[in-house]
Amino acid sequence: MSQHVQIILVDDDIDDRQITTSALNDAEIRVPYLYLENGVMLLEYLENTTSDKLLPALIVLDMHMPILSGLDVIRILKEHPRYRPIPVVMFSISLTDEDRQACMSCGAVDYIDKPNNYNSYKGIVAKFHGYCNKNSSTPVNA
């Protein structure tokens, strides 16, 4: 049986996925995570998750993705009673004040600009881990 995925990161940029993966490993965050390339893949994954206990503790979305933007995905998630409790963090390279406000008003728990340096990435992934613990009845091991 595979491990329960705690964090789902949705980002279409392979370089950003690799940097975040390296930061997760270097920060010694031992949380099962899954990368998906777009919002449609996320929605399909959630739909195929048979038990609410197997839903992720956190979803991290890029704002600018093909097919569905991060904002579109948040709207869909927060309209669905099953997915509404899952915290969603926007993690994007270019969030305008208007984008930030729209994300927060749609239910994002945080919006984080993708940093320019690698050490900042490690701090951010630690923050992701903190959101997992807030949303979980049992602490997620680091």
Side-chain angles (χ1 to χ4, degrees):
M1 186 170 146
S2 62
Q3 281 189 307
H4 169 218
V5 172
Q6 291 291 318
I7 301 175
I8 298 180
L9 301 119
V10 186
D11 196 324
D12 61 312
D13 187 304
I14 192 165
D15 293 330
D16 288 339
R17 291 194 306 262
Q18 290 173 338
I19 292 168
T20 308
T21 298
S22 292
L24 283 162
N25 293 333
D26 287 350
E28 298 183 7
I29 304 295
R30 302 288 179 237
V31 175
Y33 62 90
L34 173 67
Y35 262 111
L36 298 173
E37 294 179 25
N38 62 57
V40 172
M41 292 175 74
L42 170 67
L43 296 172
E44 288 172 354
Y45 177 89
L46 295 174
E47 176 92 13
N48 291 319
T49 302
T50 55
S51 169
D52 288 357
K53 291 180 180 181
L54 296 177
L55 290 172
L58 177 67
I59 296 172
V60 179
L61 294 173
D62 184 27
M63 181 68 174
H64 303 288
M65 296 184 292
I67 306 171
L68 288 174
S69 73
L71 189 56
D72 292 333
V73 174
I74 289 176
R75 286 181 179 131
I76 292 167
L77 293 173
K78 296 308 175 181
E79 288 175 0
H80 196 293
R82 184 171 183 230
Y83 311 137
R84 190 175 300 130
I86 303 170
V88 177
V89 172
M90 291 304 297
F91 187 47
S92 189
I93 197 159
S94 59
L95 287 176
T96 65
D97 287 339
E98 182 178 289
D99 287 342
R100 290 172 198 249
Q101 182 59 37
C103 292
M104 297 306 285
S105 68
C106 285
V109 296
D110 203 353
Y111 50 85
I112 301 170
D113 290 328
K114 289 180 182 173
N116 295 338
N117 67 69
Y118 186 69
N119 284 332
S120 295
Y121 263 93
K122 289 193 290 186
I124 289 167
V125 297
K127 193 171 185 177
F128 294 164
H129 183 258
Y131 279 117
C132 287
N133 282 331
K134 284 181 187 175
N135 195 42
S136 176
S137 56
T138 342
V140 178
N141 295 330

